[in-house]
Amino acid sequence: VMRVAKEGRGYTCTRMEQTHRFSHFSALVVGIDKLRIQRPYLIQQGIQLASIQGRPVDYRVKVVKEGGKWEFRAVVARHARPGLVITNLCKGGTLLKGTEALRMIYPRRLAIRKRREIVELTQHCIPILERRFPGIGQLGFDYGLDWNGRIWILEVNTRPQ
């Protein structure tokens, strides 16, 4: 994951803990090409995730199909390690209870409503993914919420860890 931003007349590109500065767009493109080490990247709109203690938080919803029915196994939050924009546990992120993290960011009623909306969005998406990927038996939905409480689907994994 790299975060690119326009700052003043130049650009920054942050990967892990290192931020690189570029004076113009063509230099940014060359810099990104060097940083990506010939691996393909997906470019997507940046989302200012709500944070706890200035560190981004996202949410993982894990569902498993048992006996023909989908069951929710977990709704957890992942809190980024200080200095990073990614929340991956393998990169030092911290696991929190989903509702607990939501209550640390939003007023109680809004936190409860947002958790319900995440669950409902997951329930809505499951049949769509089943049609596209017949035979799937587990899914890991990664969600981000911005400061306005808007829910963003970051990705869906068919073999979540």
Side-chain angles (χ1 to χ4, degrees):
V1 173
M2 287 185 245
R3 174 180 280 174
V4 175
K6 178 128 177 70
E7 290 189 6
R9 294 182 182 193
Y11 299 86
T12 60
C13 178
T14 302
R15 182 169 177 262
M16 294 299 290
E17 296 164 316
Q18 293 186 334
T19 298
H20 305 270
R21 298 188 188 314
F22 304 94
S23 58
H24 54 308
F25 187 76
S26 58
L28 170 69
V29 172
V30 170
I32 288 173
D33 199 43
K34 288 178 183 174
L35 288 171
R36 71 182 184 88
I37 315 168
Q38 300 304 314
R39 291 178 45 200
Y41 270 68
L42 171 70
I43 298 173
Q44 63 188 51
Q45 174 183 341
I47 303 163
Q48 283 295 105
L49 296 178
S51 62
I52 298 171
Q53 299 169 334
R55 296 165 18 212
V57 178
D58 67 15
Y59 302 86
R60 164 63 62 93
V61 177
K62 187 171 180 182
V63 291
V64 176
K65 193 170 190 177
E66 297 259 339
K69 292 183 71 174
W70 286 93
E71 298 177 7
F72 281 76
R73 290 290 169 88
V75 178
V76 297
R78 298 175 301 187
H79 189 205
R81 181 178 102 202
L84 295 186
V85 298
I86 58 173
T87 61
N88 305 52
L89 301 179
C90 65
K91 300 291 184 189
T94 305
L95 194 65
L96 303 169
K97 293 180 181 178
T99 304
E100 180 181 307
L102 286 165
R103 286 184 180 163
M104 293 171 80
I105 298 169
Y106 305 107
R108 188 179 193 290
R109 280 189 166 168
L110 182 57
I112 291 167
R113 190 170 82 227
K114 289 298 152 188
R115 186 185 188 286
R116 188 175 345 120
E117 287 176 18
I118 288 171
V119 168
E120 289 170 358
L121 181 56
T122 302
Q123 290 170 327
H124 178 78
C125 291
I126 289 170
I128 295 167
L129 291 165
E130 275 191 300
R131 284 192 299 275
R132 177 67 175 91
F133 303 101
I136 54 175
Q138 57 180 321
L139 293 166
F141 289 80
D142 292 346
Y143 294 106
L145 278 78
D146 61 26
W147 284 108
N148 296 318
R150 189 166 33 185
I151 300 169
W152 299 81
I153 298 175
L154 303 176
E155 71 175 337
V156 182
N157 299 290
T158 55
R159 287 192 228 157
Q161 306 259 337

